[in-house]
Amino acid sequence: QVQLRESGGGLVQAGGSLRLSCAASGRTFSSYTMGWFRQAPGKEREFVAGIWQNGGSSGYIDSVKGRFTISRDNAKNTVYLQMNSLKPEDTAVYYCAARAGGSVYGIYNYWGQGTQVTVSS
């Protein structure tokens, strides 16, 4: 069992940066594969980035490669999403998610409440 809480969202101009944080409760954070998803108005929720338990490997949706970086600090029970060169198309509610190991592209079982990211032109 894990509880997730996102923070760090806000309003930023195109080309700017934001860093999202996801704080996890529980004693087994290091056992979880972690991911970030987003949902824009009128669109389905989509996978953005994920990171395996040991942090050695990660995966990204093509549209954010080279701009976003996911990382984790298991000692602090926290996962991050550093977002650079933001575009208006990145505007969405961003959700932190967790699953009990496995591929970052698989089904996630636990979800945070989301944090709004708005990128203005």
Side-chain angles (χ1 to χ4, degrees):
Q1 177 74 294
V2 61
Q3 293 181 315
L4 308 172
R5 187 185 69 181
E6 305 94 336
S7 62
L11 175 64
V12 64
Q13 291 183 323
S17 298
L18 285 173
R19 184 180 65 193
L20 305 184
S21 297
C22 176
S25 64
R27 299 178 289 110
T28 59
F29 177 76
S30 63
S31 299
Y32 287 87
T33 293
M34 302 296 298
W36 287 96
F37 290 72
R38 66 187 180 187
Q39 187 167 18
K43 298 183 65 177
E44 296 294 323
R45 183 178 60 198
E46 67 175 353
F47 171 83
V48 176
I51 188 165
W52 273 265
Q53 298 100 303
N54 64 8
S57 298
S58 58
Y60 301 87
I61 191 172
D62 285 346
S63 63
V64 307
K65 289 180 178 177
R67 300 190 297 120
F68 291 10
T69 302
I70 187 172
S71 61
R72 67 190 296 163
D73 187 339
N74 287 345
K76 296 182 178 180
N77 281 18
T78 303
V79 63
Y80 306 93
L81 185 67
Q82 178 67 47
M83 304 185 294
N84 299 326
S85 301
L86 282 162
K87 304 175 181 179
E89 307 93 273
D90 296 317
T91 295
V93 177
Y94 283 71
Y95 298 91
C96 180
R99 61 173 293 172
S103 173
V104 299
Y105 303 108
I107 301 299
Y108 289 76
N109 309 109
Y110 304 96
W111 298 86
Q113 290 296 109
T115 185
Q116 177 71 47
V117 172
T118 302
V119 184
S120 62
S121 60

